[in-house]
């Protein structure tokens, strides 16, 4: 058998075959050309990437480079504000009325706080404040500050709590103790309505003033509000360098703080206290003014409030007590309350009569009443005054004389003259929320009541009743004009202020002298004799402003003040002037629901003059103890308010609300039932 055998290839032949295959692949590779579209795409991608990179680089480094650089700097450097102390307020003898004290607060930096809920709970535990209240404070204020800026949670802590918090701050990152100045009012309620108070700035105020920031204290009432720009000062700044963990590495002062301007008032602190004590707790006010300069020497409103409770952060309980008190201590009665002026208005009417041709010697018979249709207009004296001319009518305050003369001239002339004398418009005093009062007219009644003016209303206006309303400071400005030649001066509260004449009374010097002489004789032996002195030149005019229609008991007897409810009693007025040793003062006193002007307001004015001029050197000496004293007329009863010192203020009920109450801005701070917080964090 024959086998089919394969002859193996020789090694040389195999190698030759591989060599030829490699040469063939090499030749084919050299002839291969890649597609051109791929190269173009690659170039486009590279170019696009380069363009995006350059554009982004330009956007970050050039377009927003300054912004990002500032942000990076802020991560390393932080600006810390230095609160500037407010300027002090002093009286005319440099006695401090508004000062500053050091206060310690607790602030939270949200960016550095790792656990906000736990931190707020710890604040609540430290301060004994409800946790809900702390959370409300945090939520409402965190949007008003930057994350790396301190958010003030507690405004005022005592030193014991500061020491405790300081020892535990290492365990609570984001919390820090801040040192600030707080306003202090050493005289408390004595100057409360004049000075006002400061509190934390609100969002509306920050929008109106770009210099304000969260946590700043600004004036809310009184001179603190009116002189805000002068008293505020300018804040300083620290530049603080921190590491990635917010630890301070260095601190540098970049801007020094500047304290506010120090202001001297024209008020006399001792005279203010004397007038306050003379009121003996009654609801009312006292104005003491220099007629030649317009400077106010005393401006007292009673009752008042302690403005320190607002500066420290008022609690809801304290705010409710002030807001709901029927004595209305928040009301500045000198400028914000308007009253019928009563018979002191006859000083205006007498000047108007003379300037409109009324003969001062012309007599009018006063039988005690005037009948007009079915109405009877009575004189304050039941039996009448008999025959009266202008001077005797002023001295005796005869109502019938003014009824007759006012009807002769008409309401239009009364309106024009009264408005020219400064009534019916603000005086311009440097205090907020001053009221203008009201001088009624035909046009005013038609717009207000859609009715025509009637003759009986002219009778009422002639004696300061009816619709006529004035403020005590307006009356002080008018009485001053009688003494200075007819110049209506702006009442000045600041010392070293130039005289500011805002108007002129449309009356001759002869007319003014006539009214002044009538006031002199009224103080010597008329209804204002309570202020008369032997050692000084004095003048005055009393007024009793009716609150309700005259009430009569059985027969024709008028109900006495002691028999009336407090809210129905008359307001007591007295407008006076005094001159001694070259010094002249105008003193106006108004006591709400006090009764008679001579019996209630008069003694207050007398005590003020005793402080200004000293005891009456010409007054008769006191009787020896062996002599039997003569019975003295009894003062009409007033509301049962016991005289108290300023630091123990009464809060009885029963005082009616004064007109035009201006509410103070506040934000209540709720507390947990049965728990009174030690610290307040929400300030009105």
């Amino acid at each position: 058998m024959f086998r089919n055998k394969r002859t193996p290839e020789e090694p040389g032949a195999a190698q030759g075959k591989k060599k030829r295959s490699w040469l063939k692949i090499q030749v084919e590779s050299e002839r291969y050309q890649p597609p051109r579209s791929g190269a173009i795409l690659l170039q486009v991608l590279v170019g696009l990437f380069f363009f995006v990179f350059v554009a982004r680089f330009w956007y970050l480094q050039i377009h927003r480079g300054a912004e990002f650089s500032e942000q990076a700097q802020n991560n390393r450097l932080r600006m810390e504000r230095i609160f500037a102390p407010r300027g002090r307020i002093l009286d005319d003898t440099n006695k401090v009325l508004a000062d500053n004290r050091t206060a310690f607060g607790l602030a939270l930096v949200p960016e550095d706080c790792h656990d906000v809920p736990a931190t707020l709970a710890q604040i609540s535990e430290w301060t004994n404040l409800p946790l809900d209240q702390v959370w409300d404070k945090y939520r409402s204020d965190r949007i008003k500050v930057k994350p790396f800026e301190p958010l003030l949670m507690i405004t005022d802590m005592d030193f014991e709590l500061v020491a405790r918090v300081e020892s535990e701050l290492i365990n609570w990152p984001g919390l820090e103790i801040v040192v600030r100045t707080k306003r202090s009012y050493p005289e408390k309620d004595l100057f409360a309505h004049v000075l006002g108070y400061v509190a934390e700035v609100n969002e509306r105020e920050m929008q109106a003033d770009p210099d304000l920031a969260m946590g700043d204290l600004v004036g809310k009432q009184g001179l603190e509000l009116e002189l805000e720009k002068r008293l505020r000062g300018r804040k300083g700044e620290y530049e603080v360098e921190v590491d990635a963990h917010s630890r301070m590495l260095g601190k540098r002062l970049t801007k020094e703080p500047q304290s506010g301007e120090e202001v001297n008032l024209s008020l006399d602190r001792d005279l203010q206290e004397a007038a306050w004590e003379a009121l003996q707790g009654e609801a009312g006010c006292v104005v003491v003014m220099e007629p030649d300069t317009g400077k106010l020497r005393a401006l007292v409103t009673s009752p008042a409030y302690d403005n320190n409770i607002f500066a420290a952060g008022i609690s809801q309980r304290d705010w409710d007590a002030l807001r709901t008190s029927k004595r209305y201590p928040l009301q500045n009665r000198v400028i914000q309350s308007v009253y019928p002026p009563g018979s002191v208005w006859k000083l205006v009417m007498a000047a108007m009569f003379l300037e409109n041709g009324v003969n001062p010697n012309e007599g009018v018979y006063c039988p005690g009443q005037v009948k007009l249709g079915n109405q009877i207009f009575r004189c304050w004296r039941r039996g009448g005054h008999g025959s009266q001319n202008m001077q005797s009518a002023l001295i005796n305050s005869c109502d019938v004389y003014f009824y007759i003369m006012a009807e002769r001239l008409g309401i239009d002339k009364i309106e024009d003259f009264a408005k020219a004398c400064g009534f019916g418009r603000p005086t311009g005093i440097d205090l907020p929320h001053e009221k203008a009062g009201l001088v009624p007219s035909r046009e005013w009644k038609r717009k207000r009541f859609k009715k025509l003016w009637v003759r009986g209303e002219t009778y009422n206006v002639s004696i300061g009743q009816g619709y006529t309303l004035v403020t005590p400071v307006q009356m002080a400005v008018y009485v001053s004009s009688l003494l200075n030649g007819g110049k209506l001066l702006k009442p000045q509260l600041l010392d070293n202020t130039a005289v500011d004449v805002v108007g002129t009374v449309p009356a001759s010097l002869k007319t003014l002298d006539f009214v002044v002489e009538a006031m002199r004789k009224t103080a010597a032996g008329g209804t204002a004799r309570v202020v008369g002195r032997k050692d000084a030149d004095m003048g005055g005019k009393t007024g009793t402003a009716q609150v309700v229609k005259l009430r009569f008991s059985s027969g024709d007897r008028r109900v006495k003040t002691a028999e009336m409810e407090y809210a129905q009693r008359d307001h007591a007025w007295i407008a006076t002037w005094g001159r001694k040793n070259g010094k002249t003062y105008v003193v106006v006193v108004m006591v709400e629901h006090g009764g008679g002007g001579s019996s209630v307001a008069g003694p207050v004015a007398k005590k003020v003059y005793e402080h200004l001029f000293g005891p009456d050197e010409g007054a008769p000496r006191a009787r020896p103890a062996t002599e039997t004293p003569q019975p003295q007329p009894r003062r009409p009863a007033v509301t049962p308010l016991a005289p108290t010192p300023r630091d123990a203020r009464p809060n009885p009920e029963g005082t009616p609300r004064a007109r035009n109450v201006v509410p103070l801005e506040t934000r209540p701070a709720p507390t947990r039932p049965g728990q009174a917080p030690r610290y307040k964090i929400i300030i009105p």
Side-chain angles (χ1 to χ4, degrees), residues 372-635:
L372 181 62
N374 296 326
Q375 289 183 297
I376 295 178
F377 293 84
R378 302 176 185 273
C379 186
W380 70 270
R381 187 171 183 178
R382 179 181 176 185
H385 293 90
S387 181
Q388 297 284 296
N389 60 22
M390 190 180 297
Q391 187 177 84
S392 61
L394 277 172
I395 295 173
N396 300 316
S397 197
C398 175
D399 294 334
V400 171
Y401 177 90
F402 288 90
Y403 293 154
I404 301 302
M405 292 301 178
E407 183 183 13
R408 179 187 301 180
L409 297 177
I411 186 60
D412 296 334
K413 292 184 178 179
I414 296 175
E415 175 201 0
D416 293 341
F417 189 85
K419 288 183 176 179
C421 291
F423 296 99
R425 68 172 186 264
T427 63
I429 187 173
D430 293 325
L431 289 175
H433 314 306
E434 182 186 7
K435 298 303 178 184
L438 175 62
V439 177
S441 64
R442 299 180 191 274
E443 183 66 17
W444 171 83
K445 186 184 179 185
R446 184 186 65 80
K447 291 181 179 179
R448 178 67 175 82
F449 298 106
K450 311 298 181 185
K451 294 181 180 179
L452 298 177
W453 190 268
V454 296
R455 292 167 59 192
E457 291 168 332
T458 303
Y459 283 16
N460 286 332
V461 172
S462 70
I463 60 170
Q465 294 289 163
Y467 303 121
T468 310
L469 298 172
V470 304
T471 62
V473 72
Q474 285 177 334
M475 189 56 64
V477 170
Y478 175 73
V479 175
S480 296
S481 72
L482 300 176
L483 301 169
N484 63 27
K487 293 178 290 186
L488 297 171
L489 305 180
K490 173 187 173 182
Q492 300 286 3
L493 279 168
L494 304 183
D495 205 7
N496 300 322
T497 304
V499 177
D500 188 357
V501 180
V502 297
T504 304
V505 173
S508 64
L509 291 178
K510 183 178 179 181
T511 294
L512 301 178
D513 291 341
F514 178 91
V515 178
V516 169
E517 181 61 25
M519 294 181 70
R520 181 181 287 112
K521 292 184 177 180
T522 304
T527 57
R529 57 184 175 274
V530 65
V531 297
R533 295 171 61 106
K534 298 294 184 181
D535 63 341
D537 187 14
M538 306 294 296
K541 182 72 188 77
T542 59
T544 303
Q546 298 171 15
V547 177
V548 296
K549 186 177 180 180
L550 284 177
R551 295 174 55 193
F552 294 88
S553 61
S554 59
D556 198 28
R557 184 182 70 84
R558 180 180 176 180
V559 176
K560 295 182 179 180
T561 300
E563 301 170 351
M564 301 172 65
E565 295 181 5
Y566 177 79
Q568 297 178 344
R569 297 175 183 176
D570 301 334
H571 298 317
W573 281 87
I574 190 168
T576 68
W577 55 265
R579 184 180 293 118
K580 182 180 179 181
N581 299 330
K583 294 286 187 180
T584 305
Y585 301 97
V586 168
V587 177
V588 174
V589 179
M590 196 288 306
V591 180
E592 282 186 8
H593 306 289
S598 59
S599 57
V600 178
V604 176
K606 181 180 180 180
K607 291 180 181 179
V608 173
Y609 282 114
E610 287 177 352
H611 181 87
L612 290 169
F613 299 151
D616 187 358
E617 299 173 358
R621 296 184 178 181
R623 300 176 184 274
T626 56
E627 295 187 15
T628 303
Q630 296 295 325
Q632 298 295 322
R634 194 175 176 185
R635 173 180 169 179

Side-chain angles (χ1 to χ4, degrees), residues 167-186:
S167 64
E168 300 182 32
L169 278 184
I170 190 173
N171 301 320
W172 298 98
L175 287 180
E176 60 183 38
I177 301 291
V178 295
V179 181
R180 303 178 59 188
T181 58
K182 280 280 189 179
R183 207 54 158 165
S184 172
Y185 303 100

Side-chain angles (χ1 to χ4, degrees), residues 112-144:
D112 300 336
C113 184
H114 304 320
D115 190 345
V116 172
T119 302
L120 296 183
Q122 184 62 43
I123 294 176
S124 175
E125 179 184 346
W126 279 334
T127 60
N128 198 28
L129 284 168
L131 182 58
D132 292 342
Q133 185 176 339
V134 177
W135 267 106
D136 290 341
K137 173 70 174 175
Y138 175 76
R139 292 191 188 100
S140 63
D141 290 352
R142 66 177 178 178
I143 61 176
K144 302 174 185 177

